[in-house]
Amino acid sequence: MHRSRSAARSVSRARTRIAAGVVGAALAGALLAAVPGPGPAAARTPAPPGIQWGTCPVKPVPDGMRCGTLTVPIDHEGTGTGTGKGKAKGTVRLAVARLPATGPAGRRIGSLVLNFGGPGAPGVSTLAADPNAFAELNKRYDLVTFDPRGVGHSAPVTCGGMTQGGGGTAPTGPAAELAALRAEAKRCALDSGPVLPYVGTVSVARDMDLLRQALGEDKLDFLGFSYGTRLGAVYAALFPRRTGRMVLDGVDTLTEPLGEQALLSAVGQQRALDGFLVWCAHRQGCVYGTNTRTAREKVQALVTRLDATPLTGEGGLRFTGQDVADAIGIALYSRKAWPALADALALVERGDPVGLMQLGGPDGAPPPDEEPVAGAAAVPADNAAAALVAVNCADDPDRGDAKASPMDVARELEALQPVFLAASPIFGPRQLMTVLACYGRPAGTGFIRGIDRPAGMPRILLVGTRGDPATPYEWTEETAKRLGNTVVVDYKGDGHTGYVASRCVQGYVDHFLIDGRLPSGTRSCPAGE
């Protein structure tokens, strides 16, 4: 889910990310039970064979990038226990990519695994789109990434194009909304196959440990953004003594249920929009003038007006107020996108939607930068959205009662609506609908919420951005307490995550990953540096 093209693609593919995304984006995970260690099932999982590297399923790819597959069990809990259940449920083939270290062979450290967020963002195509953001790390590390199970080229889940969970316009009525969500859940289960019940972050973290073994590494060195921070934290809780140098940037929550995440996301998005409007007020020709209070009111009026009377663009595409809110939310992920956002809003205010097309179109997603290789399986168009909802629901035990009636849903929405509108009249209505995303889905795990200072875990570096619209800085502080043995870099800037945006942040991250140097306490990086 940011400043580089690769990170921006992660965000746009998961534009409905509740937190952060994961969307968050990704793309989260509020859970109950006490956290065990790796557990007998994980400990007995046999080491996978080495990965056979070959061509990649997408093009273009950078010189030297090679791809392969790693076969993992669908159900890790049923593996190696003597029951045979894991084997009976089959396996998943994960798409993996590697960029070999570019520096002298004698200075190579090992493999650095990256996750770019979501949930729902593919690793392979994201790394292929812009590896230069990690060039300094690539001198000493092989850069390795993968499409998590259910995502991209790793047994992608799909809902037949009907995914609407994780955000949407106001329902036509509680009964219709509830029926639509339950129908969607059934369609997802039908179209996605056996992997769907096992796409949660705990399963992906266990996959990542098998990837570590296949790469021949004793410990996992890891750099995760947005949802990738949830994945990294879960890995560290499951395998604290197999955790190497780990950096989590754009830190996700480990404790908040989806409803709370949605509310705080609305707060974060509104805070970021207010920052943009202050910036715009000092820019010559800002369409909203120099009064930031009235500027906020004008943006709200635009969203309301277009929800009532959408704009029609080229090819008959219709642009609603929610499309405008989505496009604004995406642009807020990177301060570098603010000039384009200001220009786009000026055009939209004049009745011209071309600016929205430049920001991502009515679906909030820009055209893909890669094209599939002949013979490679196509990724369903709704995969990012379907995976986002499936993973977030699998990670959250606090969901609406699966047997809830339309009246129950109506009461819940009525009680929450003023709270979400107070958080943000622009982003609150869409975020409100995320509280219903998991109706009709299987119960989520209680593992992640129970993470509490895992014994034996090495120090981990966390990066939090004060103006982050997707993962509020408060989550960095909260997760630091949950993990226990951490150092925080407090980036005073704007946008989602800090590594690509700030040379100061990049310095702390690179020094730690390359040299193992990690100062104690909280460190600060000023905005723009």
Side-chain angles (χ1 to χ4, degrees):
M1 73 236 185
H2 0 34
R3 296 104 324 269
S4 73
R5 184 164 61 115
S6 65
R9 285 171 46 73
S10 298
V11 171
S12 63
R13 287 174 182 251
R15 65 188 179 87
T16 56
R17 174 76 174 94
I18 293 168
V22 95
V23 184
L27 32 149
L31 306 142
L32 289 173
V35 175
R44 296 193 197 106
T45 301
I51 300 166
Q52 298 298 312
W53 301 102
T55 58
C56 294
V58 296
K59 61 180 181 180
V61 296
D63 291 342
M65 183 169 170
R66 305 291 281 171
C67 296
T69 58
L70 175 69
T71 300
V72 299
I74 285 182
D75 179 12
H76 287 280
E77 296 299 331
T79 302
T81 61
T83 63
K85 292 181 180 178
K87 184 176 180 181
K89 291 179 181 177
T91 58
V92 180
R93 295 177 66 189
L94 304 180
V96 184
R98 179 178 66 179
L99 268 173
T102 60
R107 302 199 66 203
R108 177 185 176 275
I109 296 172
S111 300
L112 177 66
V113 176
L114 300 101
N115 180 279
F116 302 100
V124 174
S125 60
T126 304
L127 181 61
D130 189 6
N132 293 332
F134 312 100
E136 194 64 28
L137 294 170
N138 197 195
K139 292 177 182 177
R140 304 291 301 277
Y141 279 103
D142 295 345
L143 300 182
V144 176
T145 190
F146 66 106
D147 291 355
R149 57 171 61 205
V151 174
H153 293 277
S154 298
V157 296
T158 176
C159 300
M162 66 181 295
T163 302
Q164 60 181 351
T169 56
T172 56
E177 182 70 20
L178 194 56
L181 287 167
R182 286 173 171 162
E184 177 187 307
K186 291 180 180 178
R187 182 63 183 268
C188 296
L190 180 66
D191 290 354
S192 296
V195 73
L196 185 64
Y198 303 97
V199 296
T201 300
V202 173
S203 293
V204 178
R206 294 187 186 278
D207 291 343
M208 200 156 63
D209 194 56
L210 294 182
L211 174 61
R212 173 195 62 79
Q213 295 178 57
L215 294 169
E217 304 292 351
D218 293 332
K219 293 189 176 183
L220 178 80
D221 290 345
F222 179 80
L223 173 57
F225 299 96
S226 195
Y227 163 76
T229 68
R230 191 198 318 174
L231 175 59
V234 170
Y235 182 91
L238 282 168
F239 308 106
R241 291 176 176 81
R242 302 178 200 171
T243 301
R245 299 171 186 176
M246 179 173 286
V247 177
L248 310 180
D249 183 2
V251 183
D252 208 344
T253 179
L254 302 178
T255 61
E256 303 286 0
L258 290 176
E260 290 298 322
Q261 291 179 47
L263 181 60
L264 286 174
S265 290
V267 171
Q269 286 179 302
Q270 186 64 56
R271 183 188 300 158
L273 175 60
D274 291 344
F276 162 78
L277 292 174
V278 170
W279 169 88
C280 190
H282 292 87
R283 182 179 188 253
Q284 186 175 3
C286 179
V287 69
Y288 296 122
T290 59
N291 187 317
T292 55
R293 181 183 62 80
T294 58
R296 180 199 269 207
E297 294 171 354
K298 289 175 181 177
V299 176
Q300 181 181 343
L302 174 66
V303 171
T304 301
R305 185 168 70 250
L306 293 189
D307 273 339
T309 309
L311 285 176
T312 301
E314 186 178 351
L317 290 174
R318 301 179 62 205
F319 295 82
T320 68
Q322 287 305 308
D323 292 326
V324 173
D326 289 345
I328 292 172
I330 293 167
L332 292 174
Y333 273 66
S334 171
R335 193 180 179 96
K336 292 180 180 178
W338 287 10
L341 175 59
D343 294 341
L345 288 172
L347 289 170
V348 173
E349 289 286 2
R350 294 198 296 266
D352 185 350
V354 70
L356 287 181
M357 293 295 293
Q358 295 168 354
L359 289 174
D363 65 351
D369 294 311
E370 81 287 333
E371 53 183 299
V373 170
V379 178
D382 71 331
N383 173 241
L388 181 152
V389 177
V391 174
N392 283 336
C393 292
D395 285 359
D396 185 3
D398 285 346
R399 286 128 17 65
D401 186 350
K403 298 180 180 179
S405 69
M407 188 61 68
D408 295 329
V409 175
R411 281 195 292 265
E412 182 173 11
L413 292 178
E414 183 178 4
L416 291 175
Q417 185 175 36
V419 179
F420 276 75
L421 285 174
S424 173
I426 295 168
F427 303 107
R430 186 176 188 91
Q431 291 290 356
L432 171 60
M433 301 317 301
T434 65
V435 304
L436 300 181
C438 299
Y439 277 90
R441 305 265 177 165
T445 178
F447 180 88
I448 302 172
R449 180 173 297 167
I451 294 175
D452 186 14
R453 306 174 72 87
M457 185 191 77
R459 277 204 296 177
I460 293 175
L461 179 62
L462 308 185
V463 179
T465 300
R466 289 287 176 166
D468 196 318
T471 50
Y473 185 80
E474 293 86 347
W475 288 351
T476 301
E477 297 175 313
E478 166 198 290
T479 299
K481 293 178 182 177
R482 282 288 179 155
L483 291 177
N485 194 12
T486 62
V487 171
V488 172
V489 173
D490 178 357
Y491 175 44
K492 308 295 186 181
D494 297 293
H496 184 37
T497 77
Y499 181 78
V500 180
S502 166
R503 289 189 298 272
C504 175
V505 171
Q506 191 173 81
Y508 279 114
V509 172
D510 288 353
H511 283 313
F512 173 48
L513 290 175
I514 293 172
D515 303 321
R517 290 187 289 177
L518 188 59
S520 59
T522 296
R523 299 291 160 147
S524 179
C525 282
E529 295 184 18

